């Protein structure tokens, strides 16, 4: 047990408390003393009574605020959980889309590797026609990639 000397309302008090709680007790006594100093006149007992009532009112008001905030905090926690769930789902969908794209690229590369290189055409008109066809295919591929 620890002994603490407090001064409240200009009067000294010797108080016992558990070891380690001295600072908390001094801080509480300081709060009571500050309240007493705001109450003009009256007896010491009356000042202590009003200080206690004022502090009890503040504590009750603080509890009321906490009670009002708790449901909001519960709904915020639920909203965060929902957002995290949606984020995880979106991440999974993105990873699946990336895997599909990689598989399609591998298939395309395999198809390119399996296709024999075309023989050089001796006829320049054929080469020009093939280039035009290739350009059209490329343009169509770009348009297809831009579709949603």
């Amino acid at each position: 047990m620890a002994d603490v000397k407090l001064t409240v309302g200009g009067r000294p008090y010797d108080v016992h408390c558990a070891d380690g709680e001295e600072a908390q007790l001094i801080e509480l006594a300081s709060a009571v003393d500050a309240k007493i100093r705001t109450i003009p006149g009256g007896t010491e007992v009356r000042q202590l009574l009003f200080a206690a009532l004022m502090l009890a009112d503040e504590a009750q008001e603080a509890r009321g605020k906490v009670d009002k905030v708790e449901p909001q905090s519960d709904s915020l926690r639920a909203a965060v959980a929902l957002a995290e769930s949606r984020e995880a789902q979106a991440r999974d969908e993105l990873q699946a889309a990336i895997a599909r794209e990689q598989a399609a690229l591998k298939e395309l590369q395999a198809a390119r590797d399996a296709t024999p290189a075309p023989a050089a055409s001796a006829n320049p008109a054929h080469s020009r026609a093939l280039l035009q066809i290739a350009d059209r295919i490329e343009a169509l591929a770009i348009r297809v990639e831009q579709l949603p």
Side-chain angles (χ1 to χ4, degrees):
M1 282 295 246
D3 293 325
V4 180
K5 288 190 181 267
L6 305 173
T7 302
V8 178
R11 186 168 190 193
Y13 293 93
D14 290 324
V15 181
H16 303 291
C17 65
D19 290 334
E21 293 184 0
E22 298 90 350
Q24 175 72 11
L25 185 58
I26 291 169
E27 187 176 330
L28 294 172
S30 175
V32 172
D33 188 55
K35 286 293 177 193
I36 287 176
R37 291 178 191 273
T38 65
I39 303 168
T43 65
E44 180 183 341
V45 172
R46 192 167 185 79
Q47 287 178 321
L48 285 171
L49 171 66
F50 279 112
L53 289 171
M54 290 166 62
L55 290 168
D57 181 52
E58 289 175 11
Q60 187 176 26
E61 187 177 313
R63 272 189 239 104
K65 288 179 181 177
V66 167
D67 291 343
K68 288 179 183 176
V69 170
E70 282 180 356
Q72 291 174 349
S73 119
D74 289 343
S75 66
L76 288 175
R77 277 196 273 293
V80 167
L82 179 61
E84 288 172 345
S85 170
R86 288 181 177 169
E87 178 192 18
Q89 182 181 3
R91 189 179 299 122
D92 292 344
E93 290 174 6
L94 180 60
Q95 288 174 346
I98 289 171
R100 287 191 304 271
E101 289 294 321
Q102 288 174 342
L105 286 173
K106 285 181 183 179
E107 287 179 26
L108 181 59
Q109 187 62 42
R112 284 183 183 164
D113 293 344
T115 304
S121 175
N123 187 343
H126 290 193
S127 294
R128 190 175 31 232
L130 287 175
L131 285 174
Q132 288 175 346
I133 292 171
D135 287 342
R136 286 182 183 169
I137 291 172
E138 184 105 7
L140 285 173
I142 290 170
R143 289 175 66 190
V144 167
E145 287 177 352
Q146 292 174 349
L147 291 176

